[in-house]
Amino acid sequence: MEKPIDKAAIAINRLQEREKEQMLIMFICTALSRVLNKKEFERLVDGILKDNFQFDDFVLASSDESKGDYFIFHSTDKNIASQSYPLNDSFFNDCINSADAVSFDLSNSNHPDYIQNIYKKGFKNVFGIALPYIEGNRNVLFLFFKNAKTFSRESGRVLRGVAMQFSITLRNIMLTQQNENALAELEILKKNISGKKKEKNIPKNENFHGIIGNSNAMKDVYELISQVASSNSTVLILGETGTGKELAANAIHNLSEVSNQKMIKVNCASIPENLIESELFGHERGAFTGATEQRIGKFEQAENSTIFLDEIGELPLELQGKLLRVLQEKEIERVGGSKSIKVNARVIAATNKILEKEVYGERFRSDLYFRLNVYPIKLPALRDRKEDIPILGHFFLEKHATKMNRNVKRFSKKVLNSMMANAWPGNVRELENMVERSILFAKDEKIKEMIFPEIVIASSDALVNEFYTKTLQEVEKEHILKVIKKCSGRISGPQGAAVLLGLPSTTLTSRMKKLGIRKEHFLN
């Protein structure tokens, strides 16, 4: 005799199962409600959702109501491309139009490519569930299984129970992303506005491609540089020592059509006379003792670029003719070679000498001078642009204080007035050296003292007689010797003679050699 069915026990069992389902639905909905970005969503899919639904693959597709396509919002398969698919692909829209879960036969070749890729992995069963519509977004959740029995009725009920929270979570993630994008754009706008405000606070032309100053004299220079930069004309930059001739050459090159190429620089005063030809034009192997291999000269290195010949007035007379040939014929010959080599290099030359006087004294070829002087740019002395001194002073103060890691921020009024009154025979270079030196001696964040070098003038009793006039070289030699003795024989460094003279130590050493100044002249 069969046992009677205990309807009450069955009812209690079903009730308990539904309670478990409701608890699970609440648990999943709570977890979904805390998700605000894609990373958190990925962790939820790989954790709680996979543990409870036992799927083998997961795809969440979403569409904007205003568009005729949908995209993959999330997939456990990272190889699925982030691209759009048409709504009427007999896959997405079939789910949207059904109130229940839709089962698909994956072997159908009409399905989208991402479905075909999943099919190739061995997944034969897929269930699509349309999520509730929220604010213009239609979403479909696809669960893939190797065995269809894994997706039970209970799984379907739980999934429908969390469907609304799925849609809400998806909307929250999208809104969070939109908000983050808007904040990022706002931050960029703030930086741009801040940058424009800073630009408004900077006087026009205070910094022109590395050159500091906004005086009328410098504005004229900027205009000349801007006019010639785009051409291929030879430029001659004139100015006293320390006026910034190399900076002007840099500006011309940086504004030219070959600014992407490196500018080749040559200091004609710092290279020994017996090596300068090889330096400029190169040499062949065996051209002279020690020439063990072929060498490419500076003009060839400057091919399709710019060559800057600094202190061109120091170029030996015998080499000036060869430079003239380069300017006229656009060709060179390496030392020890017989072959003419075509070169295409724009020449910018600079000198602190008055070349007309050098030509008159037959120390500089007139034809080379006229060839170089196609487009002269005269840089003003610092004493002729005194309104730039505070700007330059603060620029050098910030530059060197940062480099030295010193908390020195400003000048006292007394120092600024002294700077404005000083003659600055060494021009901008001397100013920079004095600012750097003053930072070293500053005791707090303000420079309160600046010791200016004395201008040494020979006394009348040092003259042999009133009719004897010293040459410029004699005066220069005497002046350099007095300064070196005052510095206890130091040439370079903060306490060295080069700083007082407003010269680079290499230039001072070169001048000492030319003037015949030796150690025994200033060391006892």
Side-chain angles (χ1 to χ4, degrees), residues 54-59 91 106 114-115 118 123 125-127 142-146:
Q54 297 297 308
F55 52 77
D56 295 298
D57 213 333
F58 174 105
V59 170
F91 198 74
L106 291 184
Y114 69 90
I115 299 298
I118 293 174
F123 301 147
N125 303 282
V126 58
F127 294 90
F142 298 109
L143 299 180
F144 298 83
F145 301 90
K146 291 182 179 177

Side-chain angles (χ1 to χ4, degrees), residues 25 29 321 524:
I25 289 170
C29 284
N524 295 324

Side-chain angles (χ1 to χ4, degrees), residues 72-89:
I72 306 302
F73 177 82
H74 174 75
S75 171
T76 50
D77 185 354
K78 304 302 180 187
N79 294 321
I80 290 180
S82 178
Q83 64 185 59
S84 298
Y85 300 90
L87 288 175
N88 57 348
D89 62 356

Side-chain angles (χ1 to χ4, degrees), residues 158-347:
V158 172
L159 197 53
R160 282 192 291 273
V162 300
M164 176 57 77
Q165 185 59 54
F166 251 115
S167 288
I168 294 171
T169 298
L170 186 58
R171 182 65 177 164
N172 287 343
I173 292 171
M174 290 179 174
L175 289 173
T176 300
Q177 186 61 52
Q178 289 174 12
N179 186 49
E180 289 176 354
N181 292 341
L183 287 173
E185 289 178 5
L186 183 61
E187 193 63 31
I188 292 170
L189 285 172
K190 283 182 179 179
K191 288 180 180 178
N192 289 341
I193 292 170
S194 176
K196 287 178 180 178
K197 284 182 179 178
K198 286 180 181 179
E199 286 176 8
K200 287 179 181 178
N201 292 331
I202 297 173
K204 189 178 179 182
N205 287 336
E206 182 175 322
N207 187 327
F208 179 85
H209 297 275
I211 308 173
I212 307 299
N214 60 1
S215 61
N216 289 333
M218 290 310 297
K219 287 178 182 177
D220 291 340
V221 170
Y222 303 153
E223 182 67 26
L224 291 172
I225 289 173
S226 300
Q227 286 175 355
V228 78
S230 59
S231 72
N232 201 36
S233 297
T234 301
V235 179
L236 179 61
I237 303 172
L238 306 162
E240 296 177 8
T241 297
T243 49
K245 295 185 288 295
E246 185 174 340
L247 288 176
N250 287 336
I252 294 169
H253 175 74
N254 291 336
L255 287 168
S256 72
E257 295 180 356
V258 294
S259 59
N260 59 324
Q261 303 292 327
K262 180 182 178 182
M263 181 170 74
I264 303 301
K265 300 177 182 181
V266 182
N267 188 314
C268 299
S270 65
I271 305 171
E273 288 187 18
N274 61 326
L275 295 179
I276 193 165
E277 182 178 3
S278 172
E279 187 75 13
L280 288 175
F281 309 124
H283 63 250
E284 300 290 354
R285 181 180 178 183
F288 49 83
T289 304
T292 56
E293 58 184 21
Q294 184 190 75
R295 176 172 179 172
I296 302 299
K298 297 296 186 182
F299 269 94
E300 286 185 81
Q301 292 176 35
E303 181 69 13
N304 296 322
S305 186
T306 306
I307 185 167
F308 174 51
L309 303 176
D310 198 8
E311 300 197 46
I312 191 68
E314 303 293 337
L315 192 68
L317 198 59
E318 59 270 22
L319 275 181
Q320 293 176 20
K322 294 186 177 182
L323 177 58
L324 179 64
R325 182 191 175 194
V326 176
L327 295 174
Q328 289 178 332
E329 309 296 334
K330 299 291 183 181
E331 60 183 29
I332 62 154
E333 274 187 21
R334 297 189 189 124
V335 178
S338 57
K339 177 184 173 184
S340 294
I341 301 169
K342 287 288 184 182
V343 290
N344 179 34
R346 189 217 191 137
V347 175

Side-chain angles (χ1 to χ4, degrees), residues 458-466 468-470:
S459 59
S460 58
D461 58 0
L463 299 174
V464 176
N465 58 61
E466 60 181 341
Y468 175 71
T469 304
K470 294 181 180 180

